[in-house]
Amino acid sequence: MLIVMEQGATSEMVAEVCRAVAALGLQAHPMAGSLRIAIGVTGNKHRIASDRIASLPGVSEIIHVTPPYRLVSRQTQAADTVVDVDGVSIGGPAFVVIAGPCSVESEEQCFAIAEKVSAAGAKLFRGGAFKPRTSPYSFQGLGEPGLRILRRVRERFGLKIVTEAVDTDSVETVAEFTDVLQIGARSMQNYSLLKKAGRTGKPILLKRGRSATLEELLMAAEYVLAEGNSRLILCERGVRTFASHTRNTLDLSAVPYVKANSHLPIIVDPSHGTGRRDQIVPLSRAALAVGADGLMVEVHHRPEQALSDGAQAITPDVFAELMIQLGRLAAALERTLA
Ligand code: PEP
Ligand code: MN
């Protein structure tokens, strides 16, 4: 940490800051610049809680060098975390594809989609039974009957299941039915939900909040790891910007940033990331090229009749073509498709 003093700070103010640093058991190293004094702080293992020092007289600015997160940090664990989802590895060399409808609508719908995406090479099936909708008048999901449909999808097609828990009341029930527990963008900073989800011990898919920085995303992940659950997969799903040609702006730069700063796997969701089906194939290729560990994409056999997010759903045929393209691209990148 670097403490920058105001221009004109007195030597007594500098001494007071150095005493406050020493009181934390750390070392202060004052350095005189041509206009101002800066005080380097060493000896800390974690980010220093700097509020008290920041409020001392003469202090202008605090610059942190150590990130606020610990357990998710690359500095804590150099090797990549590989999350095992009942035999499917996410975070290893193979690129894993998750596909399925936005919402579970019926068994007929899920089976029709699952059959096609499974044949095309998807390893996990997504579908919301509890839906976080912007409008209370929109379809809210089938609830527990939807979870039972997902269980039958797993039995019939061997696909692992990813589905969302939207609140602390239902998280344990959802965990009983799913292989991966999704925490959606709207819930990224619901800390009681994160803790309870972490305690289920299930692999967690944590989606980036719609206005969340990557530091906030990693801090949210830290909540899950702090519960003793390190089976966590991050998901970039677009953030709100001024751009109006897409629903959100897919921030692919999140992938190399997360890879540099965290050992956790990260996948990309171009469906919610753009809201437009014409963007899905090119941005899925980009997700693989940028180094993501996998992809989550919405597929519907009748997008025009979908009860949610039809505009961003690709058809099973387009999905099958996408998987062929991803296979070729993976080979060129010396990776494989799971
Ligand atoms: C979803 O994946 O079903 C979903 C609701 O996405 P998000 O939380 O990213 O909006
Ligand atoms: Mn959706």
Side-chain angles (χ1 to χ4, degrees), residues 101-103 126 131 207 247 269 271-272 298 308-309 312:
C102 179
S103 300
R126 62 144 293 139
K131 294 301 300 177
K207 301 192 81 175
R247 178 175 168 190
D269 170 359
S271 306
H272 296 90
E298 288 187 345
S308 59
D309 285 351
Q312 67 196 34

Side-chain angles (χ1 to χ4, degrees), residues 71-244:
L71 300 171
V72 305
S73 171
R74 245 321 155 202
Q75 289 173 22
T76 307
Q77 180 186 313
D80 289 341
T81 285
V82 180
V83 177
D84 173 59
V85 181
D86 196 19
V88 179
S89 295
I90 303 182
F95 188 77
V96 178
V97 178
I98 305 168
C102 179
S103 300
V104 173
E105 298 169 9
S106 67
E107 181 169 286
E108 180 264 324
Q109 171 237 20
C110 282
F111 277 21
I113 299 167
E115 184 179 11
K116 294 280 174 58
V117 297
S118 164
K123 289 287 170 277
L124 293 92
F125 186 80
R126 62 144 293 139
F130 293 92
K131 294 301 300 177
R133 301 305 301 280
T134 303
S135 166
Y137 310 116
S138 300
F139 177 58
Q140 302 286 309
L142 296 180
E144 214 175 305
L147 297 176
R148 282 195 283 275
I149 292 172
L150 290 170
R151 175 173 279 172
R152 289 196 287 277
V153 167
R154 191 209 288 111
E155 286 163 4
R156 173 101 171 237
F157 301 97
L159 291 160
K160 314 303 171 205
I161 301 301
V162 184
T163 197
E164 177 167 354
V166 293
D167 54 37
T168 49
D169 292 344
S170 59
V171 63
E172 277 151 1
T173 306
V174 176
E176 274 174 43
F177 284 86
T178 195
D179 298 296
V180 178
L181 197 55
Q182 176 171 318
I183 304 295
R186 291 160 190 77
S187 305
M188 189 202 85
Q189 287 180 313
N190 181 339
Y191 300 117
S192 40
L193 178 58
L194 290 170
K195 288 189 213 173
K196 220 167 162 187
R199 288 200 290 270
T200 66
K202 283 277 171 182
I204 306 292
L205 178 65
L206 177 62
K207 301 192 81 175
R208 181 182 183 181
R210 292 190 294 175
S211 312
T213 65
L214 294 174
E215 189 169 288
E216 287 164 342
L217 172 64
L218 290 171
M219 290 304 285
E222 187 82 12
Y223 269 87
V224 174
L225 270 73
E227 294 298 326
N229 184 353
S230 57
R231 300 166 80 199
L232 188 135
I233 304 146
L234 299 162
C235 180
E236 162 58 33
R237 50 78 71 210
V239 287
R240 242 177 230 250
T241 69
F242 53 81
S244 55

Side-chain angles (χ1 to χ4, degrees), residues 237-284:
R237 50 78 71 210
V239 287
R240 242 177 230 250
T241 69
F242 53 81
S244 55
H245 65 290
T246 49
R247 178 175 168 190
N248 293 295
T249 296
L250 188 68
D251 179 12
L252 289 174
S253 72
V255 175
Y257 178 89
V258 163
K259 290 277 163 204
N261 290 283
S262 175
H263 50 84
L264 294 172
I266 178 165
I267 67 165
V268 171
D269 170 359
S271 306
H272 296 90
T274 65
R276 296 179 55 108
R277 78 167 60 88
D278 60 346
Q279 296 273 342
I280 307 308
V281 171
L283 287 171
S284 297

Side-chain angles (χ1 to χ4, degrees), residues 32-45:
S34 55
L35 294 174
R36 299 188 296 181
I37 290 180
I39 303 165
V41 178
T42 57
N44 54 303
K45 286 206 185 73

